[in-house]
Amino acid sequence: TIPNFLSITLTPSNQIIHPGRYFGIFRDWDGKKTYRKEDIPTLYADMDEFSANQMDLLDQELQLVKKGLERRYPQLDLSRVLPLGPRVVDQYGQDVKDTTNLQTIFATNLGYAGCATPVKEVEGGVIPLVNSRLFWEDIPYGLCILKDMAEMLSIPTPNIDRLTEWHQQFMGKRYIVNGQLNRELINETGTPSAYGIRGLDDLVSTNLPRGPRSKL
């Protein structure tokens, strides 16, 4: 049983998996370079240490947001927001054949087997598929949500910022400017602020067993 909606919002999933992995594969892309299709690794079965580290860095900042909320609101139950590796193992169980580390968890998860890396075929090869949910969902409706909550908690998020900035340059957007959410684009995101939530009490008000009681 999931105790509240925030537990779903904060559960580490595509919002950190996709940005970390896609950056890991295409981090040298300049917007013009093409790749040979046969050289593109699969999304998960070919998981490398660098990509796993990128995902872990994002997960660490997500967990800081979780801990920050728990400190402010001791009644808030976020116990189901597990770190990324344990969350995948908890969800897929015996389908994960090697739980040694995040790389092996993804590479040996039968539930992830066969997932191809989305690319666009162009003259001369393939390029990253910018017009896909890996950009247009996982950034404005993924990392930006985490960033908004982190700003409410005054938690620095250098890796969320870095990965958002890498993706947004190819989207023609500036969701993050100088390390802060760009309020001019806030309504193009799924952030709490886009829905009129202006502070932590508003954010957690429907997620507590009783009314919000911030522990200052």
Side-chain angles (χ1 to χ4, degrees):
T1 302
I2 303 297
N4 50 58
F5 188 78
L6 267 178
S7 293
I8 299 174
T9 303
L10 286 171
T11 290
S13 189
N14 289 345
Q15 85 276 42
I16 62 173
I17 295 171
H18 289 163
R21 177 57 170 150
Y22 218 62
F23 174 73
I25 296 172
F26 295 112
R27 58 189 179 276
D28 65 341
W29 194 47
D30 58 2
K32 299 178 182 179
K33 175 182 178 179
T34 61
Y35 302 82
R36 296 198 311 164
K37 189 172 184 179
E38 56 268 30
D39 291 338
I40 302 300
T42 61
L43 200 58
Y44 302 122
D46 295 322
M47 181 67 64
D48 60 0
E49 184 178 355
F50 181 87
S51 298
N53 183 58
Q54 299 306 303
M55 295 190 301
D56 182 59
L57 291 170
L58 294 175
D59 186 39
Q60 289 178 37
E61 292 178 356
L62 182 155
Q63 299 299 326
L64 289 176
V65 171
K66 169 195 170 181
K67 292 174 183 176
L69 288 170
E70 289 175 327
R71 283 193 297 269
R72 292 288 294 270
Y73 301 92
Q75 289 180 297
L76 181 62
D77 184 359
L78 297 177
S79 59
R80 292 299 299 161
V81 182
L82 304 176
L84 178 57
R87 196 278 296 169
V88 173
V89 173
D90 180 68
Q91 179 177 348
Y92 288 92
Q94 293 184 352
D95 280 349
V96 180
K97 301 305 179 183
D98 187 345
T99 62
T100 301
N101 53 50
L102 198 56
Q103 177 188 358
T104 63
I105 287 171
F106 274 82
T108 67
N109 183 2
L110 296 179
Y112 288 156
C115 292
T117 298
V119 293
K120 179 181 179 180
E121 294 192 9
V122 296
E123 184 178 354
V126 297
I127 61 174
L129 187 59
V130 175
N131 188 25
S132 70
R133 65 190 181 98
L134 276 73
F135 284 78
W136 295 96
E137 291 183 14
D138 295 320
I139 303 306
Y141 294 92
L143 290 186
C144 286
I145 292 175
L146 298 178
K147 177 65 175 177
D148 195 24
M149 290 191 282
E151 287 188 352
M152 292 181 185
L153 289 159
S154 299
I155 293 174
T157 55
N159 294 292
I160 288 175
D161 298 356
R162 176 173 56 85
L163 269 294
T164 299
E165 288 168 347
W166 183 83
H167 285 78
Q168 72 183 16
Q169 68 179 315
F170 305 118
M171 301 167 68
K173 297 291 183 180
R174 300 184 72 201
Y175 297 114
I176 288 183
V177 178
N178 296 325
Q180 298 293 320
L181 276 177
N182 180 4
R183 296 293 156 177
E184 293 182 3
L185 294 187
I186 207 72
N187 289 332
E188 297 183 20
T189 72
T191 59
S193 293
Y195 294 94
I197 295 174
R198 294 292 177 254
L200 292 172
D201 282 356
D202 283 348
L203 180 68
V204 305
S205 61
T206 60
N207 293 271
L208 293 173
R210 298 184 180 86
R213 292 293 183 269
S214 174
K215 184 179 179 181
L216 300 176

